[in-house]
Amino acid sequence: RKKVHVVIDDEELLLRDFDTFKSLFDSFGLKANVCVTPERLQTDGPTHPHMAVRVDPEADIVYCDAAKLQSHYARIAKNGNANFEAEYSQRVLLLDEVDSLVIDNSPNVPFVYKNDELSRFATQVAARFTAMGSVDGMARTPSEVRVVQVMQRAWALGMKMVPGQDFLQGAMYNLHVKIENGKADPLAWSLPLECRNFADNRASTIEFREKLFIMSRANVYRKYGALVGLSGSVGNAAEQEYLARVYRAQVVKVPVFLSTCTGAAYFEAEQREVHVCDNEPKQLAKVSEHAFENRLKVPVLIIAGSRKEASRLVR
């Protein structure tokens, strides 16, 4: 019996799907859990024993996001006697929105970890920068020399970061939050943003991380005994060729439900217009304009990228 990892990169959808099938898993006596953020575990964990912050290697079924899956691989890799074949060959990977997880994301993922000793030294360097003091003579070891050099570059970049474009001001616990791909990511770390938070008196310490190794996403996914990816679109020819070449994947198109029903009216959707906007507020305004303009003529359905985007559109 193979074990299963189900990857969904949206915590709300992750929990919804897990809760939907939890009773089914229980009826078969399967051990299943769902990986959530530490904050979610702290608030909901006491009443939901199936929640965890890490992938449980003993569980039959684990629901998690891609980051948790990568962290699981990192923990195995840090073990000098890691047996990846034994760990992955008897598992099946189910990917929701495979195009965004496999194609849109970077194929290589750097793993960085906090170094407590160098973090303390980096905090001292940042304090010197804040006081407009010289950092000459601070470094006494090769590692500290490297930290000073890295911090000088990161501090300069951090001071150039633009609010609303590179980060959201005080978005989480009074800390600035990094914006990536047009979205605020509370979990994203960058040394320039650490410096900016310190300079703006949002934080009193610097978290300095070091790169330990780089993980090949494709290499990890190929270690699974089987991989199934789901998507609302089959992708273009180049994307399909990439999936076939890298993952030996075949595309199977599932027909639209109404097209399989006798006597049911079914119409193929047509693309009428394409609008490219400079930023998200303009995009939301354009979507709202079209929705109100056409709602009396036809039913209008707006598909958002996430629940947060949908909430912003509603407001």
Side-chain angles (χ1 to χ4, degrees), residues 248-304:
R248 300 187 297 276
Q250 295 182 341
V251 176
V252 178
K253 186 174 182 180
V254 179
V256 177
F257 175 72
L258 285 178
S259 68
T260 66
C261 301
T262 303
Y266 172 70
F267 303 95
E268 286 285 352
E270 296 181 17
Q271 179 176 291
R272 300 295 183 90
E273 298 177 61
V274 175
H275 296 277
V276 179
C277 301
D278 296 335
N279 51 50
E280 186 180 55
K282 290 183 179 179
Q283 182 188 44
L284 294 180
K286 177 60 71 173
V287 170
S288 300
E289 176 187 332
H290 275 280
F292 281 104
E293 181 180 314
N294 293 285
R295 62 183 178 138
L296 298 180
K297 306 174 186 176
V298 294
V300 174
L301 171 65
I302 300 174
I303 301 176

Side-chain angles (χ1 to χ4, degrees), residues 40 161 207 219 223 244 283 290 309:
R40 172 83 70 168
M161 296 181 78
E207 182 173 310
N219 185 49
K223 291 184 183 298
Q283 182 188 44
H290 275 280
E309 288 184 9

Side-chain angles (χ1 to χ4, degrees), residues 50-63:
H50 52 268
M51 288 185 176
V53 294
R54 291 184 174 183
V55 172
D56 182 357
E58 302 302 322
D60 296 300
I61 299 172
V62 176
Y63 277 67

Side-chain angles (χ1 to χ4, degrees), residues 2 128 171 185 264 291:
K2 293 184 182 294
R128 286 281 187 92
D185 185 355

Side-chain angles (χ1 to χ4, degrees), residues 9-314:
D9 259 10
D10 184 298
E11 190 173 80
E12 296 301 327
L13 296 179
L14 192 72
L15 291 169
R16 186 199 66 185
D17 284 14
F18 180 85
D19 290 339
T20 299
F21 295 104
K22 181 65 167 62
S23 59
L24 178 64
F25 303 150
D26 292 341
S27 66
F28 283 95
L30 299 174
K31 181 181 180 181
N33 66 22
V34 56
C35 294
V36 297
T37 61
E39 293 77 16
R40 172 83 70 168
L41 182 67
Q42 185 175 5
T43 56
D44 298 347
T47 56
H48 295 79
H50 52 268
M51 288 185 176
V53 294
R54 291 184 174 183
V55 172
D56 182 357
E58 302 302 322
D60 296 300
I61 299 172
V62 176
Y63 277 67
C64 63
D65 60 20
K68 290 288 193 299
L69 205 63
Q70 292 157 13
S71 296
H72 177 62
Y73 176 88
R75 285 193 296 275
I76 299 173
K78 289 168 67 178
N79 182 351
N81 300 317
N83 187 338
F84 291 105
E85 184 67 26
E87 177 68 26
Y88 286 94
S89 63
Q90 296 303 308
R91 298 183 187 274
V92 174
L93 177 62
L94 297 182
L95 289 170
D96 183 44
E97 294 300 338
V98 65
D99 45 355
S100 64
L101 292 178
V102 175
I103 297 176
D104 297 342
N105 285 345
S106 171
N108 297 318
V109 181
F111 277 87
V112 293
Y113 292 86
K114 179 183 178 182
N115 184 309
D116 291 331
E117 181 180 351
L118 296 184
S119 292
R120 288 190 290 270
F121 181 70
T123 301
Q124 296 172 12
V125 174
R128 286 281 187 92
F129 287 153
T130 303
M132 304 298 290
S134 171
V135 294
D136 294 341
M138 286 189 67
R140 294 181 174 83
T141 66
S143 294
E144 291 181 348
V145 170
R146 179 170 54 83
V147 170
V148 170
Q149 294 172 345
V150 172
M151 282 292 294
Q152 287 174 327
R153 293 192 295 269
W155 189 271
L157 291 173
M159 299 310 103
K160 294 179 181 178
M161 296 181 78
V162 180
Q165 177 179 315
D166 299 314
F167 64 89
L168 289 182
Q169 291 181 289
M172 185 181 72
Y173 305 118
N174 201 39
L175 295 175
H176 300 324
V177 172
K178 188 178 181 182
I179 295 177
E180 289 189 330
N181 300 320
K183 300 178 181 178
D185 185 355
L187 301 180
W189 172 91
S190 79
L191 190 55
L193 186 60
E194 288 283 312
C195 293
R196 184 59 180 262
N197 272 312
F198 190 93
D200 291 350
N201 293 318
R202 303 280 181 170
S204 59
T205 59
I206 295 289
E207 182 173 310
F208 191 88
R209 298 185 181 184
E210 290 190 291
K211 185 185 297 182
L212 295 187
F213 62 90
I214 296 178
M215 183 198 82
S216 167
R217 192 190 306 271
N219 185 49
V220 174
Y221 288 174
R222 284 199 301 256
K223 291 184 183 298
Y224 281 87
L227 190 156
V228 179
L230 308 175
S231 176
S233 61
V234 296
N236 57 39
E239 291 173 339
Q240 292 185 33
E241 188 277 331
Y242 170 82
L243 292 173
R245 172 170 48 83
V246 176
Y247 297 98
R248 300 187 297 276
Q250 295 182 341
V251 176
V252 178
K253 186 174 182 180
V254 179
V256 177
F257 175 72
L258 285 178
S259 68
T260 66
C261 301
T262 303
Y266 172 70
F267 303 95
E268 286 285 352
E270 296 181 17
Q271 179 176 291
R272 300 295 183 90
E273 298 177 61
V274 175
H275 296 277
V276 179
C277 301
D278 296 335
N279 51 50
E280 186 180 55
K282 290 183 179 179
Q283 182 188 44
L284 294 180
K286 177 60 71 173
V287 170
S288 300
E289 176 187 332
H290 275 280
F292 281 104
E293 181 180 314
N294 293 285
R295 62 183 178 138
L296 298 180
K297 306 174 186 176
V298 294
V300 174
L301 171 65
I302 300 174
I303 301 176
S306 66
R307 181 170 296 190
K308 291 182 179 179
E309 288 184 9
S311 297
R312 287 197 293 270
L313 184 60
V314 169

